[in-house]
Amino acid sequence: MKNIAMVLYPDFLLLDIAGPLEVFSIANRYLAPDKHYRITIIGTESGPLRASNGALMQAEFTLEQATGSYDLLLVPGGPGAYNHQHPELLTWLRGASERAGRYGSICTGTFILGHAGLLDGYRVTTHWHYTERLIKAFPKARVETDQIFLEDRRLVTSGGVTAGIDLALSMVALDHGRKVALDVAKVLLVVMSRQGGQAQFSPLVANITTHETPISRVQNYVLEHLDESFSIARMAEIAAMSPRHFARLFAREVQMTPMEFLQNARIDQARSLLESSDLPLKTIAFRSGFGSVRLMRQRFVERLGLTPLQYRLQFN
């Protein structure tokens, strides 16, 4: 029997808990009794704990009562993970993680693991909206921004919300084989392996500052004229700088090269048109500045892990 523990704290995200736990619960239907998962809910305090959506959930044990070891110990995400400190939980996690077969987080639960000192030197991921914040908060962690979930030695982390289901399915596959995990996925009406990573859900170009600078002026001009051809020399001319100085300043301010910004902006434009219209792929490729469907397809596969047509089928 495998022991699965999930830790609750105030302001957790309910789906981060419910999704993975349903995977393990449904897996029990396909397993012999002695192979079942035993699920334990541990709370930072006694009594019901309120989720971010207002629902109340009662833990089976408090931290003080939960002194055993677990095959898998998970911390969910939620506003309480990154907006509040939980010193008693951090102390408990340091000891409990040493006794666990595997430990990890769902979504932004990585912030709690980080504050407990459990991310340093590990490859980790979290919800795409919070990856930059995670990178700044825990520079010793190796944050990967496009993974649905990651396993590095005994540490497992997942992207946002429903990615916890993907992580749990992978754990079932490791424990009991792909057939059992596939049966569970079919019951939940989800796929075993998603096409692409988190990048397909997140904008590739961040919001541009409202304070005008030579760099932001170039960014806005590019976004308004994506169907035109651009080079570093042309963008530098718009900024009234030398190409070398412009490229260096752009990379420092935007955290990507001018050509990376251009390609990401074109992909974002194409994604928007794929989501909101039935325009032919050729028209979308032209309006986004790719020039051809072939080049657009190539850039989509390189950056998002799926073709424009696959993207349209998923999001249109």
Side-chain angles (χ1 to χ4, degrees):
M1 181 171 286
K2 296 278 187 179
N3 291 310
I4 308 293
M6 186 76 80
V7 183
L8 296 189
Y9 53 84
D11 217 12
F12 64 92
L13 193 70
L14 184 60
L15 190 54
D16 279 4
I17 290 178
L21 293 191
E22 285 300 332
V23 170
F24 297 118
S25 175
I26 292 171
N28 286 343
R29 304 179 191 177
Y30 300 93
L31 300 171
D34 63 330
K35 301 292 185 182
H36 277 191
Y37 289 102
R38 184 186 185 280
I39 297 169
T40 301
I41 307 296
I42 302 166
T44 55
E45 55 194 67
S46 60
L49 287 163
R50 191 173 297 278
S52 58
N53 65 2
L56 293 172
M57 191 168 184
Q58 176 73 54
E60 187 177 358
F61 299 106
T62 62
L63 297 177
E64 293 77 13
Q65 296 168 331
T67 57
S69 59
Y70 305 96
D71 295 288
L72 178 61
L73 171 63
L74 292 173
V75 180
Y82 49 84
N83 287 334
H84 305 285
Q85 292 290 325
H86 307 277
E88 72 292 340
L89 174 56
L90 304 184
T91 300
W92 182 86
L93 278 172
R94 293 183 190 108
S97 63
E98 291 182 359
R99 301 189 301 271
R102 297 189 189 100
Y103 63 95
S105 60
I106 310 299
C107 194
T108 53
T110 43
F111 285 87
I112 292 178
L113 295 184
H115 287 300
L118 300 176
L119 299 184
D120 293 355
Y122 285 89
R123 295 170 59 235
V124 301
T125 193
T126 191
H127 191 289
W128 61 264
H129 189 72
Y130 297 92
T131 51
E132 289 302 319
R133 182 170 174 177
L134 191 72
I135 290 168
K136 292 176 181 177
F138 308 107
K140 293 182 180 179
R142 295 158 55 193
V143 180
E144 300 193 11
T145 61
D146 192 33
Q147 300 293 327
I148 298 296
F149 64 88
L150 272 174
E151 181 177 9
D152 186 353
R153 289 159 281 177
R154 294 190 302 120
L155 176 65
V156 293
T157 54
S158 82
V161 197
T162 59
I165 294 174
D166 299 76
L167 185 149
L169 286 169
S170 76
M171 296 295 100
V172 172
L174 284 173
D175 291 338
H176 302 290
R178 180 177 171 81
K179 175 63 167 59
V180 174
L182 184 58
D183 288 337
V184 175
K186 288 178 178 178
V187 172
L188 292 172
L189 298 181
V190 298
V191 296
M192 271 292 293
S193 300
R194 302 198 205 194
Q195 291 180 313
Q198 288 199 76
Q200 63 185 290
F201 301 98
S202 62
L204 300 180
V205 173
N207 291 331
I208 298 171
T209 178
T210 55
H211 175 66
E212 183 172 310
T213 67
I215 299 302
S216 69
R217 185 166 66 249
V218 172
Q219 289 178 286
N220 284 317
Y221 185 91
V222 168
L223 292 176
E224 292 169 5
H225 301 82
L226 282 172
D227 58 338
E228 299 178 8
S229 296
F230 286 95
S231 64
I232 290 182
R234 185 184 176 198
M235 287 188 267
E237 185 180 349
I238 296 169
M241 298 179 186
S242 71
R244 184 175 180 181
H245 178 59
F246 167 75
R248 185 167 55 247
L249 185 61
F250 191 101
R252 186 167 70 237
E253 288 193 13
V254 186
Q255 304 302 307
M256 67 179 75
T257 69
M259 300 312 290
E260 286 173 337
F261 172 83
L262 176 63
Q263 290 302 324
N264 287 347
R266 284 178 168 158
I267 291 173
D268 278 352
Q269 165 80 340
R271 291 162 70 183
S272 178
L273 293 173
L274 288 166
E275 292 170 9
S276 61
S277 74
D278 294 320
L279 290 171
L281 294 184
K282 186 175 181 179
T283 303
I284 291 174
F286 175 78
R287 290 189 181 181
S288 304
F290 288 109
S292 71
V293 174
R294 181 192 60 79
L295 182 58
M296 181 171 70
R297 183 185 300 112
Q298 179 182 335
R299 294 289 182 260
F300 262 63
V301 171
E302 289 173 350
R303 195 66 179 84
L304 305 181
L306 69 174
T307 68
L309 183 57
Q310 289 169 330
Y311 186 91
R312 168 170 271 173
L313 291 173
Q314 286 193 187
F315 293 99
N316 189 306

